[in-house]
Amino acid sequence: MLFRSTLKDGKVSVLPINSLGGEGPVRTLATEPNGTVWIGTLALGVGRMEPNSNRIHSAIAEGLAMTSIFTIAVDPKGCVWVGGKGGIFCGTKEGNRWKWKKTTLEREAEDILVFRIIVDRAGRTWAVSQQGLALWHGGRWTNASRTLGLPDWSSQCIAEGIDGSIWISFYDSNDLYRISGAVTKPEITKLAFGGNAEAMGQTADL
């Protein structure tokens, strides 16, 4: 189920998601500036609720076949990025309909798991998956782990700091990495839990 609370009167509404074809756990939520709410489930795909509406529309009917969703993000251009079991899709609105396009990670493995997608203040779109860190650049996904000299291990955690730096951790590692500085030539710092920060220096252009 999905719950909505209004600040004006404090009331809570219960919004069933059976309009997506059944019941299932909601894994992630995202909103657009216009108030549209995107709902990612673990078994029923992506749902969309328009402003001032209680109806949830299924993206499966619009061509988004992926049903196990882990993450959703909206970029400044209005593209809705959806990640989960099977990779990453980009949704754009054309007229009154949404169109979905698969965007393939570099050397993408079959049944890849994409755990998190974020859009930073600079407008860059980042994704973490079983194949490490990826960056959307020039209309394609690039292997940012390799470019930045980071581990290519699986990652499930990425966030942007208040100063615009990107923080990322990798599975089975005690290290935390910070990507900061210039957008095109960032600096990488490795921080070990309980230890000191280690500057890794500047890297190749992103």
Side-chain angles (χ1 to χ4, degrees):
M1 291 185 177
L2 187 67
F3 296 86
R4 177 175 61 191
S5 175
T6 57
L7 296 178
K8 183 177 180 180
D9 54 19
K11 293 182 179 180
V12 177
S13 303
V14 180
L15 306 173
I17 62 171
N18 53 16
S19 58
L20 296 180
E23 292 288 346
V26 174
R27 175 65 182 262
T28 185
L29 297 169
T31 59
E32 291 187 63
N34 67 1
T36 298
V37 178
W38 292 90
I39 306 150
T41 73
L42 286 181
L44 304 175
V46 171
R48 184 186 72 259
M49 188 168 63
E50 304 288 353
N52 303 315
S53 171
N54 290 329
R55 182 184 176 188
I56 300 176
H57 302 267
S58 172
I60 293 177
E62 299 169 333
L64 180 56
M66 187 166 62
T67 57
S68 186
I69 311 300
F70 299 156
T71 180
I72 302 174
V74 182
D75 72 18
K77 296 181 179 179
C79 173
V80 178
W81 296 94
V82 176
K85 184 178 180 181
I88 301 174
F89 286 79
C90 172
T92 54
K93 192 171 185 179
E94 298 181 7
N96 294 323
R97 292 188 58 81
W98 283 85
K99 301 292 185 180
W100 298 94
K101 179 182 178 181
K102 173 72 184 292
T103 61
T104 306
L105 293 171
E106 191 173 320
R107 297 182 181 178
E108 182 176 303
E110 187 177 356
D111 291 329
I112 183 73
L113 300 180
V114 177
F115 298 109
R116 185 114 165 87
I117 301 171
I118 67 168
V119 179
D120 67 17
R121 291 176 177 82
R124 298 174 299 183
T125 302
W126 305 83
V128 290
S129 70
Q130 291 171 309
Q131 297 178 191
L133 178 64
L135 173 66
W136 182 254
H137 180 71
R140 64 186 180 90
W141 289 106
T142 61
N143 187 329
S145 284
R146 182 182 62 239
T147 303
L148 298 172
L150 299 173
D152 59 358
W153 308 328
S154 176
S155 173
Q156 297 187 24
C157 301
I158 184 172
E160 183 182 13
I162 193 171
D163 61 351
S165 59
I166 301 298
W167 295 81
I168 182 172
S169 64
F170 294 90
Y171 184 75
D172 201 24
S173 169
N174 290 326
D175 297 325
L176 185 65
Y177 294 84
R178 181 178 62 204
I179 306 169
S180 59
V183 171
T184 56
K185 206 172 186 68
E187 296 181 356
I188 312 299
T189 306
K190 181 171 71 172
L191 302 98
F193 289 104
N196 297 321
E198 174 188 342
M200 296 174 64
Q202 289 187 329
T203 64
D205 294 346
L206 279 177

